[in-house]
Amino acid sequence: MSGQSTTPVDSQDEEPASALETARRQLDNAAAHVDIDPNIVERLKHPAQVHEVTIPLERDDGTLEAFTGYRAQHDSVRGPYKGGLRFHPEVSRDECVGLSMWMTWKCAVMDLPFGGAKGGVVANPKALSDDEVERLTRRFAQEIRPVVGPTKDIPAPDMGTDAQTMSWFMDAYSMQEGETVPGVVTGKPPVVGGSHGREEAPGRSVALVTREVCDYYGLGLDGTTIAVQGYGSVGANAAELLDEWGASVVAVSDVNGAAYDPDGLDIGSIPAHSERPEAVTEVADNVIPNDELLGLDVDVLIPAAVGNAITADNVDDVDADIVVEGANGPTTAVADRRLAERDIPVVPDILANAGGVTVSYFEWLQDINRRSWSPERVNEELETEMLAAFDRVQEEVDARDLSWREAAYVVALSRVAAAHEKRGVWP
Ligand code: NAD
C-alpha cells in the first residue's frame, strides 16, 4: 500500500525509554520533513512550564497524606493549553511532559486554537474513597488555580478521572473565582456545561477515520472485517458505529479476553463498558485470548485499549491490512517501523482519536457562549472537522509519500512552527 515509504530519521532499533523520549523522537522525525527553523524545533522539545504541587489530603481516618501533582504546559502559541488530568500511581513529570507534547500535535492536526498540556496526581484513585477523591481533586484545583482557566489552560478527564472529577474541579475553581466558570475544564456532565456527544466522540472519530482510510485504500465499509482491542469508551463506541455502518466487526476484547466470530459479532448484544464493565467474555459465544485478536487476518485492526499494545515482541503476528490507533500510543516506535517495512499503514492516534479533544473544543465554545448545542449539531460538526483533518493529512501522504503518522506530524508541526515564526520566539 502507498503512504508508507519514508525511513525515520533515527535508526535506533531500541524502544524509547519514556513518553518524553518518544515524543522528542517523533518531533525530530517530523522536523526532517518540514522546512522549519531548527531553533523552533529546539524550543518545541521542551515544555514552556511544568508546575509541581504538593496536595495535602486528609484521609477518612483523620491522617494526612501528601500527594504530588503536575501540570505540564508544552506550547500555547496557537491558543490556551489543553489536555487531560490523570490520577494514576505511575504519573510522572516526564510522562506529563511527553503527553503534553502529543496534545500540542493533536490540537494542531485538528486545527483547534489550543496548545498542549497534560497533568495529573501520583495517586491510585481506586485506593481512595469517593470523599477522598473529591477532596484531592478540589485541593489540586486550588493548587494549580493560578495557571489554569478558560483562556490559559483547560484540563479534561483522562485515566482515573471522569465527568464527576471535572465537576468538582470546576466547582472548586468557580468558588475561588466568585463566579461560575464552566469553561475552565471540559468533559463535564451536560447539566453543568458539558457537551452532548463528548463521551462517545473519541470512538466516533476512530470510526469516521476508519471509514475514510478504508475508502482511500479502495475498501467499502460493507463487509470490511474489523478487530477492536479494548471495549471501553473508545473501542465500544467505534465498534458500534462501524457495525451500524455495515462493517463486519469480527472481534472485540477487554482485559479478560476477546469475543470472536469470523462471520461478524452481534455488537448490540455485547454490553458497553459503561453499562457492564469487562463483560465481553461473559456474553461471548466464542472466546479467544487477547494476543490472538492482534494476530487475526482482518482488514482493519483497531488497538483501543492501552498504550504499548503492539510491540517489537508481537508486531510480527499482526495480520491486518490497516491499523487505526484508537488508544493513545498503542504502537511502540520499533513496532511502528516494522509495520511500515511490511507496508501496513497505521493511522495515528493524534488524528484517529482526536474526536475527544475536538468535542472538548465544542464544549469550551458552548461554555464561553453560554449556549448548548444539540447532539445532532455536535456530531455533524465533529464529522466536518474530522474529514477536514483527514483530507489535509492525506494530502501530505500523497504529496510526499509519507506514512500517515509522519504526515499527521508534518501537518501539526507546520501549523505550530508557522505560528511561532509569525509571533517570534523572543529568545
Ligand atoms: P476505558 O477504561 O473505557 O476502556 C479500556 C478498555 O480496554 C476496557 O474494555 C478494558 O477492559 C480494556 N483493556 C485494558 N487492558 C487491556 C488489555 N491488555 N488487552 C485488552 N483489553 C484491555 O478506556 P478508554 O477511555 O476507552 O481509553 C482507551 C484508550 O483510548 C486509552 O489509551 C486512552 O488514553 C485513549 N483515549 C481515550 C479518550 C477518552 O476520552 N476516553 C480519548 C482519546 C484517547
Side-chain angles (χ1 to χ4, degrees), residues 64-181:
L64 188 129
E65 194 171 342
F67 290 85
T68 302
Y70 299 100
R71 186 67 179 168
Q73 298 173 325
H74 174 242
D75 187 76
S76 65
V77 73
R78 290 166 46 86
Y81 301 105
K82 185 89 192 78
L85 287 180
R86 298 192 156 174
F87 289 179
H88 193 275
E90 280 161 30
V91 164
S92 68
R93 184 188 188 282
D94 272 9
E95 183 192 62
C96 289
V97 173
L99 297 175
S100 73
M101 290 173 72
W102 279 333
M103 284 308 298
T104 299
W105 315 132
K106 197 181 274 195
C107 292
V109 80
M110 291 307 303
D111 211 4
L112 306 177
F114 288 141
K118 202 72 155 197
V121 178
V122 190
N124 177 6
K126 289 183 192 150
L128 300 174
S129 69
D130 286 352
D131 286 348
E132 288 170 335
V133 174
E134 178 174 352
R135 289 199 290 279
L136 186 78
T137 306
R138 289 181 178 278
R139 185 62 194 254
F140 183 43
Q142 170 62 11
E143 294 302 329
I144 62 170
R145 189 166 63 91
V147 298
V148 297
T151 58
K152 288 185 190 169
D153 182 354
I154 306 129
D158 201 275
M159 281 163 63
T161 58
D162 58 15
Q164 177 61 71
T165 328
M166 293 304 111
S167 295
W168 289 327
F169 191 108
M170 186 274 263
D171 187 66
Y173 181 89
S174 298
M175 288 289 165
Q176 297 294 344
E177 294 294 307
E179 59 179 311
T180 296
V181 190

Side-chain angles (χ1 to χ4, degrees), residues 86 106 158-159 198-199 202 229-235 253-256 273 278 290 304-307 326-328 353 356:
R86 298 192 156 174
K106 197 181 274 195
D158 201 275
M159 281 163 63
R198 168 65 183 81
E199 174 60 33
Q229 184 202 40
Y231 200 66
S233 172
V234 177
S253 69
D254 63 21
V255 70
N256 301 316
H273 191 260
E278 326 297 20
N290 248 313
V306 286
N328 284 324
N353 69 31

Side-chain angles (χ1 to χ4, degrees), residues 157-158 161-164 166 186-190 194-206 231-238 240-241 272-275 353 355-360 363 378-379 382:
D158 201 275
T161 58
D162 58 15
Q164 177 61 71
M166 293 304 111
T186 58
K188 303 176 295 296
S195 180
H196 294 294
R198 168 65 183 81
E199 174 60 33
E200 65 164 78
R204 181 171 281 273
S205 69
V206 168
Y231 200 66
S233 172
V234 177
N237 280 306
E240 271 167 38
L241 281 168
H273 191 260
S274 52
E275 298 162 39
N353 69 31
V357 72
T358 303
V359 175
S360 274
E363 179 173 334
V378 170
N379 288 343
L382 174 61

